[in-house]
Amino acid sequence: MPRPRLTGLGAGLLSTVAMVVAGGLAWLLPAGAQTVVFGVLFLPVCALTGLWVRPADLAMGPVVVPPAYAIGVLPVAEGGGGFTGQVMGLVTTLALNAGWLYGGTLVAGVIVTVRKVRLMGAARRKGRAERAAGRTRGAVGAPGGQRRSAVEPRPVQADAGQRAPRSHAAR
């Protein structure tokens, strides 16, 4: 399976395009099956969005799928004539099929949460390994391999061409 890493915007665009295609496919079906097929197709789109969003944009995974659902369901929404009829059909379709919307958002949310927990665990293990390696080798730049304290001031050395700063008492 490919491992693309999409930005938050890329994940939103991918899920929106996929849901518009799913809405077009569902529109070809009989009226009773349209919303069910659309909802079933929404779940794998949510899973792929959660899997393919890059680690820096993990929080965007569950955020971009509800607008993609709302845009993709437009061909399936049964509305009357005119703009207000279409809006009412969209709102009604979203209200009656909220379970699919919540379920898909939950799928994306669980996937990105698991990915984030795994990334945090890997970072914690890496930090422990680096600290363990630092204890055995000693700190770089410290005389005799000893570590300097974080609060211990470092000695300031003046270069040969620079004068040391004077205090007010020396004037």
Side-chain angles (χ1 to χ4, degrees), residues 115-129:
R115 285 184 58 201
K116 183 64 176 181
V117 167
R118 291 183 65 194
L119 286 171
M120 289 171 41
R124 190 176 306 126
R125 285 189 300 275
K126 182 179 176 184
R128 286 180 187 158

PDB file of all heavy atoms in Angstrom, residues 115-129:
ATOM      1  N   ARG A 115      -2.059   6.912  15.501  1.00  0.00           N
ATOM      2  CA  ARG A 115      -0.797   7.324  14.878  1.00  0.00           C
ATOM      3  C   ARG A 115      -0.032   8.299  15.767  1.00  0.00           C
ATOM      4  O   ARG A 115       1.195   8.201  15.911  1.00  0.00           O
ATOM      5  CB  ARG A 115      -1.058   7.965  13.517  1.00  0.00           C
ATOM      6  CG  ARG A 115      -1.419   6.974  12.445  1.00  0.00           C
ATOM      7  CD  ARG A 115      -1.566   7.627  11.098  1.00  0.00           C
ATOM      8  NE  ARG A 115      -0.337   8.303  10.714  1.00  0.00           N
ATOM      9  CZ  ARG A 115      -0.286   9.275   9.812  1.00  0.00           C
ATOM     10  NH1 ARG A 115      -1.377   9.678   9.195  1.00  0.00           N
ATOM     11  NH2 ARG A 115       0.861   9.835   9.512  1.00  0.00           N
ATOM     12  N   LYS A 116      -0.730   9.247  16.385  1.00  0.00           N
ATOM     13  CA  LYS A 116      -0.075  10.230  17.249  1.00  0.00           C
ATOM     14  C   LYS A 116       0.521   9.564  18.486  1.00  0.00           C
ATOM     15  O   LYS A 116       1.642   9.871  18.887  1.00  0.00           O
ATOM     16  CB  LYS A 116      -1.076  11.314  17.655  1.00  0.00           C
ATOM     17  CG  LYS A 116      -0.479  12.406  18.497  1.00  0.00           C
ATOM     18  CD  LYS A 116       0.562  13.186  17.740  1.00  0.00           C
ATOM     19  CE  LYS A 116       1.071  14.340  18.560  1.00  0.00           C
ATOM     20  NZ  LYS A 116       2.068  15.128  17.852  1.00  0.00           N
ATOM     21  N   VAL A 117      -0.201   8.639  19.081  1.00  0.00           N
ATOM     22  CA  VAL A 117       0.310   7.929  20.260  1.00  0.00           C
ATOM     23  C   VAL A 117       1.557   7.133  19.891  1.00  0.00           C
ATOM     24  O   VAL A 117       2.545   7.123  20.638  1.00  0.00           O
ATOM     25  CB  VAL A 117      -0.789   7.027  20.868  1.00  0.00           C
ATOM     26  CG1 VAL A 117      -0.219   6.054  21.886  1.00  0.00           C
ATOM     27  CG2 VAL A 117      -1.874   7.881  21.487  1.00  0.00           C
ATOM     28  N   ARG A 118       1.531   6.492  18.725  1.00  0.00           N
ATOM     29  CA  ARG A 118       2.703   5.730  18.286  1.00  0.00           C
ATOM     30  C   ARG A 118       3.897   6.652  18.020  1.00  0.00           C
ATOM     31  O   ARG A 118       5.034   6.315  18.362  1.00  0.00           O
ATOM     32  CB  ARG A 118       2.375   4.915  17.048  1.00  0.00           C
ATOM     33  CG  ARG A 118       1.414   3.770  17.364  1.00  0.00           C
ATOM     34  CD  ARG A 118       1.146   2.916  16.179  1.00  0.00           C
ATOM     35  NE  ARG A 118       2.384   2.238  15.785  1.00  0.00           N
ATOM     36  CZ  ARG A 118       2.556   1.624  14.637  1.00  0.00           C
ATOM     37  NH1 ARG A 118       1.583   1.594  13.762  1.00  0.00           N
ATOM     38  NH2 ARG A 118       3.686   1.027  14.358  1.00  0.00           N
ATOM     39  N   LEU A 119       3.665   7.819  17.434  1.00  0.00           N
ATOM     40  CA  LEU A 119       4.749   8.777  17.191  1.00  0.00           C
ATOM     41  C   LEU A 119       5.329   9.291  18.505  1.00  0.00           C
ATOM     42  O   LEU A 119       6.546   9.439  18.633  1.00  0.00           O
ATOM     43  CB  LEU A 119       4.251   9.953  16.357  1.00  0.00           C
ATOM     44  CG  LEU A 119       4.018   9.689  14.884  1.00  0.00           C
ATOM     45  CD1 LEU A 119       3.310  10.875  14.237  1.00  0.00           C
ATOM     46  CD2 LEU A 119       5.336   9.423  14.185  1.00  0.00           C
ATOM     47  N   MET A 120       4.459   9.572  19.472  1.00  0.00           N
ATOM     48  CA  MET A 120       4.945  10.042  20.766  1.00  0.00           C
ATOM     49  C   MET A 120       5.750   8.956  21.476  1.00  0.00           C
ATOM     50  O   MET A 120       6.769   9.243  22.105  1.00  0.00           O
ATOM     51  CB  MET A 120       3.772  10.499  21.628  1.00  0.00           C
ATOM     52  CG  MET A 120       3.151  11.779  21.137  1.00  0.00           C
ATOM     53  SD  MET A 120       1.598  12.258  21.928  1.00  0.00           S
ATOM     54  CE  MET A 120       1.841  11.901  23.630  1.00  0.00           C
ATOM     55  N   GLY A 121       5.310   7.702  21.378  1.00  0.00           N
ATOM     56  CA  GLY A 121       6.064   6.597  21.977  1.00  0.00           C
ATOM     57  C   GLY A 121       7.420   6.416  21.327  1.00  0.00           C
ATOM     58  O   GLY A 121       8.423   6.182  22.005  1.00  0.00           O
ATOM     59  N   ALA A 122       7.473   6.552  20.006  1.00  0.00           N
ATOM     60  CA  ALA A 122       8.753   6.431  19.304  1.00  0.00           C
ATOM     61  C   ALA A 122       9.690   7.567  19.691  1.00  0.00           C
ATOM     62  O   ALA A 122      10.891   7.345  19.885  1.00  0.00           O
ATOM     63  CB  ALA A 122       8.529   6.420  17.794  1.00  0.00           C
ATOM     64  N   ALA A 123       9.156   8.774  19.834  1.00  0.00           N
ATOM     65  CA  ALA A 123       9.996   9.912  20.238  1.00  0.00           C
ATOM     66  C   ALA A 123      10.506   9.718  21.666  1.00  0.00           C
ATOM     67  O   ALA A 123      11.658  10.045  21.970  1.00  0.00           O
ATOM     68  CB  ALA A 123       9.209  11.207  20.127  1.00  0.00           C
ATOM     69  N   ARG A 124       9.662   9.175  22.533  1.00  0.00           N
ATOM     70  CA  ARG A 124      10.079   8.931  23.914  1.00  0.00           C
ATOM     71  C   ARG A 124      11.182   7.877  23.958  1.00  0.00           C
ATOM     72  O   ARG A 124      12.168   8.032  24.678  1.00  0.00           O
ATOM     73  CB  ARG A 124       8.871   8.479  24.740  1.00  0.00           C
ATOM     74  CG  ARG A 124       9.153   8.432  26.213  1.00  0.00           C
ATOM     75  CD  ARG A 124       7.915   8.085  27.029  1.00  0.00           C
ATOM     76  NE  ARG A 124       6.811   8.971  26.726  1.00  0.00           N
ATOM     77  CZ  ARG A 124       5.599   8.544  26.353  1.00  0.00           C
ATOM     78  NH1 ARG A 124       5.344   7.259  26.249  1.00  0.00           N
ATOM     79  NH2 ARG A 124       4.634   9.401  26.118  1.00  0.00           N
ATOM     80  N   ARG A 125      11.016   6.797  23.167  1.00  0.00           N
ATOM     81  CA  ARG A 125      12.062   5.762  23.138  1.00  0.00           C
ATOM     82  C   ARG A 125      13.365   6.314  22.567  1.00  0.00           C
ATOM     83  O   ARG A 125      14.444   5.987  23.051  1.00  0.00           O
ATOM     84  CB  ARG A 125      11.584   4.566  22.321  1.00  0.00           C
ATOM     85  CG  ARG A 125      10.570   3.706  23.032  1.00  0.00           C
ATOM     86  CD  ARG A 125      10.286   2.420  22.279  1.00  0.00           C
ATOM     87  NE  ARG A 125       9.750   2.656  20.945  1.00  0.00           N
ATOM     88  CZ  ARG A 125       8.474   2.854  20.658  1.00  0.00           C
ATOM     89  NH1 ARG A 125       7.592   2.853  21.634  1.00  0.00           N
ATOM     90  NH2 ARG A 125       8.065   3.048  19.418  1.00  0.00           N
ATOM     91  N   LYS A 126      13.268   7.148  21.557  1.00  0.00           N
ATOM     92  CA  LYS A 126      14.467   7.742  20.965  1.00  0.00           C
ATOM     93  C   LYS A 126      15.177   8.648  21.969  1.00  0.00           C
ATOM     94  O   LYS A 126      16.396   8.622  22.087  1.00  0.00           O
ATOM     95  CB  LYS A 126      14.087   8.543  19.722  1.00  0.00           C
ATOM     96  CG  LYS A 126      15.256   9.155  19.019  1.00  0.00           C
ATOM     97  CD  LYS A 126      14.801   9.920  17.792  1.00  0.00           C
ATOM     98  CE  LYS A 126      15.978  10.620  17.136  1.00  0.00           C
ATOM     99  NZ  LYS A 126      15.548  11.438  16.007  1.00  0.00           N
ATOM    100  N   GLY A 127      14.409   9.428  22.728  1.00  0.00           N
ATOM    101  CA  GLY A 127      14.998  10.295  23.750  1.00  0.00           C
ATOM    102  C   GLY A 127      15.677   9.500  24.844  1.00  0.00           C
ATOM    103  O   GLY A 127      16.768   9.862  25.305  1.00  0.00           O
ATOM    104  N   ARG A 128      15.061   8.402  25.261  1.00  0.00           N
ATOM    105  CA  ARG A 128      15.684   7.546  26.278  1.00  0.00           C
ATOM    106  C   ARG A 128      16.977   6.945  25.760  1.00  0.00           C
ATOM    107  O   ARG A 128      17.973   6.868  26.478  1.00  0.00           O
ATOM    108  CB  ARG A 128      14.734   6.437  26.688  1.00  0.00           C
ATOM    109  CG  ARG A 128      13.604   6.894  27.554  1.00  0.00           C
ATOM    110  CD  ARG A 128      12.713   5.738  27.921  1.00  0.00           C
ATOM    111  NE  ARG A 128      11.531   6.208  28.621  1.00  0.00           N
ATOM    112  CZ  ARG A 128      10.410   5.535  28.697  1.00  0.00           C
ATOM    113  NH1 ARG A 128      10.310   4.352  28.120  1.00  0.00           N
ATOM    114  NH2 ARG A 128       9.383   6.028  29.348  1.00  0.00           N
ATOM    115  N   ALA A 129      16.972   6.505  24.503  1.00  0.00           N
ATOM    116  CA  ALA A 129      18.176   5.913  23.923  1.00  0.00           C
ATOM    117  C   ALA A 129      19.293   6.941  23.820  1.00  0.00           C
ATOM    118  O   ALA A 129      20.457   6.635  24.092  1.00  0.00           O
ATOM    119  CB  ALA A 129      17.866   5.315  22.551  1.00  0.00           C
TER     120      ALA A 129
END
